[in-house]
C-alpha cells in the first residue's frame, strides 16, 4: 500500500488508455493486472469527430480516473480541461500536460507551473508532467502538487530511462511522490525506474500498442512490483573485479 | 437558426439538453461548452441556444 493524492493504492503501475485497440481491456486490466489508476483525455465527441466512444463508460467503479490535459497549448486550456474533467467525473486528479511542440512533445515548464498554481488553489489533486528538472520539481512541491511526473524519454518512444542522472536527484531531493512517465517501453525499464526509487510509473504506449495489452499490463505490473521490492531492500554496490560467491579458502587439495 | 457544433454548422432550435439527446449522445458523460465557456449540467435545460452560438461537446477518450 502507498498513499498518493489522498488515496491508498496497492499498485504502483498507472496506465494511460490512449491507443488501446478496445476499451473493454480496461476492465480486464483492473481485475487481472490490478491496475487502479487510469489516465484519460478530453476530446470533442459526437458528429464530425473521430471519437464516438466514451472511455468513461468502460472504467470500473473502483478505479481512479486521472484526467490528462494533453492537447492543451497553454495554462488556460489546461485549466479548462481540468474543470471539464471535474464536471464529468468525481475525480479531482488531474495530470497537467502542456505541450506546444508536437515533434518531441516536451512539456512547457512555464505554462505547466502556471496551470499548477491555479489548479492547486482550485482544490485539484495535481500531477504535473515535467522535464526531469529538479528546480522545477522543487517549485511544484512548494506550490502543493501531489506528485511530479518527470519523463523517462519522449512520449511513445519506448526508449526507457534516458536521463537517470537527472531523474535520480529529483527522487532523492523531493518529498512528494515521483512518478516516471513517458518513454518507458519495456517491463525492464519500469523495473529500473522502481529500483531507482520512483514511487510509481505511468505506462501507455508500451501496453496499449503491444500485441496483447492485457498480458503486457500483467508483465509491467510484475516488473514494477519486482523493482519496488528491490528498492526497499537496497541495491548492492558494483565492483570493478570479480568477487567470489563461493568461499575461496579450504578448497579440496588436488 | 444556425449554430456551430464541433466546427460544423447545423440548423437547430432548443436547449442544450435537446441538442445532446438529438445527437444521440449520453448526457451523463458529456460536457458542453458554449462560446468557450462550460455550461453546468444543471443549467442545460434552461440554456436555450441562440443563433450563431458555437457549441463544443466534449467527453473522455483514451489518453495517456
Amino acid at each position: 500500500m502507498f498513499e498518493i493524492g489522498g488515496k491508498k493504492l496497492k499498485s504502483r503501475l498507472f496506465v494511460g488508455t490512449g491507443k488501446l485497440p478496445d476499451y473493454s481491456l480496461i476492465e480486464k486490466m483492473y481485475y487481472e493486472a490490478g491496475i487502479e489508476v487510469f489516465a484519460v483525455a478530453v476530446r470533442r465527441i459526437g458528429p464530425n469527430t473521430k471519437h464516438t466512444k466514451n472511455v468513461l463508460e468502460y472504467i470500473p467503479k473502483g478505479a481512479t480516473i486521472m484526467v490528462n490535459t494533453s492537447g492543451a497549448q497553454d495554462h488556460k486550456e489546461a485549466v479548462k480541461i481540468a474543470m471539464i474533467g471535474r464536471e464529468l467525473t468525481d475525480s479531482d486528479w488531474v495530470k497537467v500536460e502542456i505541450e506546444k511542440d508536437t515533434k518531441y512533445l516536451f512539456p512547457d515548464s512555464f505554462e505547466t507551473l502556471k496551470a499548477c498554481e491555479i489548479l492547486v488553489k482550485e482544490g485539484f489533486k495535481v500531477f504535473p508532467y515535467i522535464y526531469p528538472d529538479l528546480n522545477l520539481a522543487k517549485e511544484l512541491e512548494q506550490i502543493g502538487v501531489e506528485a511530479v511526473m518527470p519523463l523517462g524519454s519522449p512520449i511513445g518512444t519506448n526508449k526507457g530511462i534516458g536521463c537517470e542522472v537527472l531523474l535520480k536527484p529529483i527522487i532523492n531531493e523531493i518529498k512528494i511522490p515521483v512518478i516516471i512517465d513517458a518513454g518507458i517501453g519495456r517491463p525492464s525499464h519500469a523495473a529500473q525506474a522502481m529500483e531507482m526509487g520512483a514511487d510509481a510509473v505511468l505506462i501507455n504506449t508500451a501496453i496499449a500498442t503491444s500485441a496483447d495489452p492485457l498480458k503486457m499490463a500483467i508483465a509491467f505490473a510484475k516488473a514494477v512490483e519486482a523493482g519496488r521490492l528491490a528498492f526497499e531492500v537496497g541495491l548492492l554496490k558494483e565492483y570493478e573485479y570479480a568477487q567470489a560467491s563461493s568461499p575461496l579458502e579450504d578448497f579440496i587439495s588436488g | 437558426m444556425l449554430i456551430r457544433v464541433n466546427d460544423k454548422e447545423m440548423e437547430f432550435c432548443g436547449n442544450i439538453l435537446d441538442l445532446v439527446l438529438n445527437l444521440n449522445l449520453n448526457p451523463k458523460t458529456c460536457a458542453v461548452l458554449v462560446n468557450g465557456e462550460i455550461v453546468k449540467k444543471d443549467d442545460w435545460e434552461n440554456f436555450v441556444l441562440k443563433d450563431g452560438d458555437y457549441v463544443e461537446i466534449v467527453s473522455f477518450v483514451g489518453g495517456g
Side-chain angles (χ1 to χ4, degrees):
Chain A
M1 282 283 188
F2 81 120
E3 222 177 302
I4 188 162
K7 292 185 186 244
K8 284 199 168 82
L9 299 176
K10 286 194 209 87
S11 176
R12 292 171 181 271
L13 171 59
F14 298 179
V15 170
T17 57
K19 304 185 205 162
L20 272 177
D22 180 357
Y23 286 159
S24 65
L25 283 160
I26 295 169
E27 195 175 18
K28 293 192 177 111
M29 285 189 214
Y30 178 72
Y31 287 108
E32 293 177 45
I35 314 296
E36 294 163 290
V37 177
F38 293 98
V40 299
V42 172
R43 290 291 179 274
R44 289 172 180 174
I45 189 166
N48 335 308
T49 67
K50 187 178 155 234
H51 303 285
T52 49
K53 279 191 178 166
N54 185 326
V55 73
L56 281 191
E57 291 166 25
Y58 297 82
I59 296 183
K61 282 261 175 293
T64 295
I65 296 167
M66 178 184 261
V67 175
N68 185 352
T69 70
S70 72
Q73 300 265 315
D74 58 33
H75 69 281
K76 284 185 188 154
E77 286 181 6
V79 168
K80 194 182 275 187
I81 292 169
M83 298 291 185
I84 293 169
R86 199 155 61 175
E87 167 84 8
L88 285 182
T89 68
D90 292 332
S91 180
D92 53 4
W93 280 36
V94 59
K95 171 177 164 183
V96 175
E97 181 177 327
I98 303 175
E99 295 125 347
K100 283 178 189 153
D101 121 84
T102 52
K103 186 171 180 185
Y104 299 101
L105 293 173
F106 285 142
D108 183 309
S109 304
F110 185 64
E111 292 294 327
T112 299
L113 191 61
K114 278 209 260 187
C116 289
E117 275 172 328
I118 297 169
L119 291 170
V120 167
K121 279 188 194 137
E122 290 283 339
F124 284 90
K125 302 275 193 291
V126 184
F127 296 79
Y129 168 60
I130 59 167
Y131 268 125
D133 174 340
L134 177 61
N135 294 321
L136 177 63
K138 279 184 175 168
E139 193 86 14
L140 288 162
E141 182 179 32
Q142 284 285 319
I143 287 172
V145 302
E146 296 299 319
V148 288
M149 304 182 78
L151 58 91
S153 44
I155 293 173
T157 57
N158 299 323
K159 286 178 186 283
I161 309 294
C163 41
E164 187 165 345
V165 290
L166 302 180
L167 288 168
K168 197 75 199 199
I170 298 177
I171 292 169
N172 291 344
E173 300 302 325
I174 72 165
K175 290 175 189 70
I176 53 175
V178 177
I179 304 165
I180 310 286
D181 182 9
I184 293 179
R186 302 176 188 183
S188 55
H189 298 153
Q192 184 194 349
M194 299 309 294
E195 285 173 0
M196 281 164 58
D199 294 273
V201 294
L202 188 142
I203 316 287
N204 188 347
T205 304
I207 291 174
T209 65
S210 73
D212 185 339
L214 176 59
K215 203 166 180 177
M216 195 55 108
I218 294 169
F220 268 101
K222 290 186 175 187
V224 165
E225 214 170 312
R228 180 65 195 181
L229 286 174
F231 170 74
E232 285 171 4
V233 173
L235 296 183
L236 298 178
K237 190 181 152 193
E238 291 181 14
Y239 295 95
E240 190 66 25
Y241 301 109
Q243 307 285 316
S245 316
S246 317
L248 293 177
E249 319 82 46
D250 301 328
F251 192 64
I252 49 166
S253 55
Chain B
M1 195 183 83
L2 216 52
I3 58 170
R4 252 189 325 140
V5 180
N6 293 344
D7 276 342
K8 188 150 186 194
E9 289 196 323
M10 69 180 273
E11 203 51 66
F12 181 81
C13 280
N15 62 42
I16 294 176
L17 184 64
D18 296 334
L19 176 70
V20 170
L21 293 174
N22 209 290
L23 297 169
N24 289 321
L25 296 168
N26 180 355
K28 280 189 190 147
T29 55
C30 292
V32 173
L33 290 86
V34 178
N35 303 322
E37 296 295 324
I38 303 168
V39 181
K40 290 223 174 281
K41 220 158 268 193
D42 296 345
D43 301 331
W44 282 11
E45 234 176 318
N46 297 322
F47 198 115
V48 177
L49 292 161
K50 298 187 303 292
D51 193 48
D53 271 345
Y54 175 42
V55 182
E56 283 175 292
I57 304 174
V58 297
S59 191
F60 284 102
V61 300

